[in-house]
Amino acid sequence: MEERYVRNRIYVSEEEQATVRNTKVIFGGAGIGSNIAECALRFGFEQITLVDGDVVEESNLNRQNYTEADLGKYKAEALAGRLLAINPQAKISFHNCFIDGTNVEALIGGHDIAVNALDFKSDIPFVFDGVCKKFAIPVLHPYNFGWGGFLTVAKPDGMPLSELSNDPRDFDLRMAEYVAGYSSFWNIPLEWLEKNIREYKREKGEASPPQLSVASWIAAGYCVNVMYNLATGKDVMTFPKFYLSSIYRDHT
């Protein structure tokens, strides 16, 4: 195994490391995607496409993988520079644009795994998933729940997230409510999440959901583990099941 990845040994075989290196991953959105992309690159995913039309704002710095020097820069371009500084031999491409109905197929085609970190400001996240289904590409959906990192996976032959709701408005909130309800049903209530949902719903205006760096990095770890499993043919849980981790387990 080459020196860069020698500490992956035992956990990852040489054959698997080579497979990971040749797996092509596209990131729709470079917010939480910025944390996932660096974790993926350090693990050994060296063929990465970044797509985002947003620029870095100061409010991103509490949780996203940028610095003050990146303020005002396109997220995709700034992140590409960071990744290439870590591994100059990696094949990193970026597109400083928003995904829409006119470019989604051209951007997604040719990839093996997709990360849907798009904002639910329109139905584009659903369109993104639909195109991935058409191209038989599994899609990872990470979420930042503050103290908890969350991931669910939509496979081409599985249930789409639109089964939860086909209305993009407040979709993040509905996903959080789904997770809280699911956990309560199985008698493992997440009181910290339920409390945050109540307080967020009481806020006035169009405030974005509160998010912490803690969950961004937990979700990044989940995503890269699942990306490794997908690339090497191992099993993963798929929607409506999910991965969630937090040190807060109020029922214990």
Side-chain angles (χ1 to χ4, degrees):
M1 189 173 291
E2 67 179 278
E3 184 65 22
R4 179 179 293 270
Y5 303 117
V6 70
R7 297 292 289 271
N8 288 4
R9 71 187 192 284
I10 301 178
Y11 299 104
V12 183
S13 71
E14 288 195 44
E15 294 76 13
E16 289 175 334
Q17 195 71 61
T19 297
V20 165
R21 181 186 296 110
N22 293 317
T23 299
K24 299 177 180 178
V25 184
I26 181 169
F27 288 80
I32 193 172
S34 64
N35 306 77
I36 302 164
E38 180 168 329
C39 190
L41 179 75
R42 291 186 184 277
F43 186 88
F45 288 92
E46 295 186 2
Q47 300 197 47
I48 293 174
T49 301
L50 310 166
V51 188
D52 199 318
D54 270 334
V55 298
V56 180
E57 300 177 353
E58 188 173 8
S59 62
N60 302 143
L61 300 183
N62 80 313
R63 67 199 184 283
Q64 296 178 12
N65 198 16
Y66 300 103
T67 69
E68 281 208 357
D70 296 321
L71 292 175
K73 297 179 181 178
Y74 281 107
K75 288 184 178 181
E77 187 170 355
L79 180 58
R82 180 177 178 87
L83 298 181
L84 288 170
I86 296 167
N87 184 351
Q89 282 71 53
K91 297 178 181 177
I92 311 295
S93 61
F94 65 88
H95 302 271
N96 295 329
C97 66
F98 293 108
I99 294 176
D100 60 32
T102 67
N103 61 18
V104 60
E105 291 202 6
L107 289 168
I108 291 174
H111 291 88
D112 303 303
I113 298 172
V115 178
N116 188 339
L118 299 167
D119 292 332
F120 278 91
K121 297 177 180 178
S122 69
D123 66 346
I124 289 300
F126 298 135
V127 174
F128 183 95
D129 278 17
V131 172
C132 287
K133 182 180 180 70
K134 174 181 176 181
F135 291 152
I137 300 171
V139 188
L140 281 62
H141 288 266
Y143 283 83
N144 183 320
F145 290 153
W147 296 120
F150 172 92
L151 171 65
T152 192
V153 182
K155 279 193 171 182
D157 59 350
M159 184 183 296
L161 263 67
S162 57
E163 288 293 314
L164 178 63
S165 172
N166 58 12
D167 185 349
R169 293 172 297 179
D170 294 323
F171 190 87
D172 292 352
L173 176 60
R174 276 191 288 278
M175 182 61 79
E177 291 175 327
Y178 166 71
V179 172
Y182 183 99
S183 299
S184 293
F185 177 83
W186 291 108
N187 199 32
I188 47 174
L190 302 173
E191 294 181 11
W192 61 271
L193 182 58
E194 294 171 359
K195 174 178 176 291
N196 291 346
I197 290 171
R198 290 194 299 270
E199 292 189 6
Y200 175 59
K201 290 171 76 171
R202 283 199 295 266
E203 286 187 342
K204 299 183 183 297
E206 300 294 326
S208 299
Q211 298 175 333
L212 300 174
S213 60
V214 174
S216 292
W217 290 109
I218 294 173
Y222 267 143
C223 283
V224 176
N225 200 329
V226 166
M227 287 162 58
Y228 159 73
N229 280 11
L230 289 170
T232 57
K234 297 177 175 62
D235 289 337
V236 301
M237 288 194 299
T238 58
F239 184 74
K241 294 182 179 180
F242 55 82
Y243 301 92
L244 176 71
S245 182
S246 171
I247 67 167
Y248 289 103
R249 288 291 183 266
D250 301 283
H251 65 287
T252 54

